[in-house]
Amino acid sequence: MSRSSLRRAYGVWAPIYDRAVSGFSGPLRRQSLTELPEDARRILIDGIGTGLDLPYLPAGREVLGIDLSRAMLRRAQGRGQAVWLVEADAEALPLADQSVDLVVLHLILAVVPDARKALAEVVRVLRPGGEIRLLDKFLRPGERAWLRRAIAPLSAALATHTDLVFEDILAQEPSLVLISDSPAALGGWFRLIRLRKTASV
Ligand SMILES: C[S@@+](CC[C@H](N)C(=O)[O-])C[C@H]1O[C@@H](n2cnc3c(N)ncnc32)[C@H](O)[C@@H]1O
């Protein structure tokens, strides 16, 4: 899906997004965002959407949220929480190399047109030793999941991908190490994943 189609799609989603997503995702967000390291002072929420993660972040951190959709960002702004919001593309982050301590990737990698490019951008802006907190739906290598593969063209039209294999995306980033990977919902289709960028490759 092109960027302009994604913008249009999330313009439609924006007014109903919280009602549709907050109930199921709340406990998963809480789990994903527990035990944030003390030294994670600068946090990027990549594809922040309506800002549903904001209530789960500890106070006193510097938080930046980027998103392609102005309609979604407006909702995030309306939450009235301390956050810098910028309209930007996750595949070309307007941030300097190694400028953030932790990146939140909730329900975004399976949405962007090119998940590999988006992850490469995260690796670029994350400092060595920094962490990624990821929540999304992924297939496992070799998983047949015929229905999820079959509906992929349809779900892509609905602005999400159902056939991404996380291990394939991770394989391109040798600087990332897996800290944990746990099933989150729908029989492990949704996963909570923690990654750390190594100090050197
Ligand atoms: C499913 S929503 C998830 C929002 C939020 N992360 C959450 O957990 O509720 C996907 C978000 O990604 C944004 N998005 C899609 N493609 C993007 C891109 N290339 N760059 C930045 N944001 C993008 C959409 O506008 C939307 O707000």
Side-chain angles (χ1 to χ4, degrees):
M1 198 180 232
S2 69
R3 278 163 192 75
S4 53
S5 308
L6 273 168
R7 260 195 212 100
R8 260 199 308 280
Y10 280 96
V12 173
W13 264 110
I16 54 167
Y17 186 83
D18 287 5
R19 255 172 294 151
V21 172
S22 65
F24 116 88
S25 67
L28 305 181
R29 292 176 200 278
R30 182 182 301 284
Q31 209 179 325
S32 176
L33 298 175
T34 53
E35 299 154 6
L36 290 198
E38 266 308 309
D39 64 357
R41 310 307 305 170
R42 288 158 302 168
I43 297 175
L44 167 66
I45 309 182
D46 205 0
I48 187 170
T50 61
L52 285 174
D53 291 319
L54 292 171
Y56 300 98
L57 291 176
R61 314 288 173 114
E62 195 180 330
V63 183
L64 168 70
I66 71 102
D67 202 285
L68 203 57
S69 160
R70 206 170 292 173
M72 295 292 269
L73 285 171
R74 239 180 266 125
R75 301 257 156 190
Q77 188 81 66
R79 247 168 243 287
Q81 289 186 243
V83 55
W84 296 95
L85 294 170
V86 177
E87 189 180 330
D89 188 344
E91 294 179 25
L93 292 171
L95 292 169
D97 294 358
Q98 305 188 4
S99 57
V100 302
D101 301 312
L102 187 136
V103 181
V104 179
L105 284 175
H106 286 174
L107 310 177
I108 172 77
L109 277 190
V111 168
V112 291
D114 187 339
R116 286 176 172 77
K117 215 164 169 186
L119 188 62
E121 272 296 87
V122 168
V123 170
R124 180 182 67 77
V125 303
L126 190 61
R127 68 155 164 85
E131 279 189 31
I132 299 171
R133 300 291 173 97
L134 208 166
L135 161 65
D136 225 317
K137 52 188 178 317
F138 296 111
L139 298 181
R140 289 178 191 273
E143 192 176 359
R144 287 173 60 188
W146 63 270
L147 181 59
R148 281 175 265 163
R149 290 187 194 274
I151 64 169
L154 172 68
S155 57
L158 292 172
T160 190
H161 301 281
T162 53
D163 58 351
L164 281 188
V165 177
F166 174 67
E167 286 74 5
D168 291 348
I169 302 166
L170 183 61
Q172 68 154 28
E173 294 300 340
S175 68
L176 293 181
V177 291
L178 189 66
I179 306 172
S180 63
D181 177 358
S182 25
L186 295 181
W189 187 18
F190 282 83
R191 287 153 72 179
L192 283 166
I193 295 169
R194 294 185 184 184
L195 301 162
R196 183 175 296 119
K197 182 175 168 180
T198 51
S200 59
V201 192

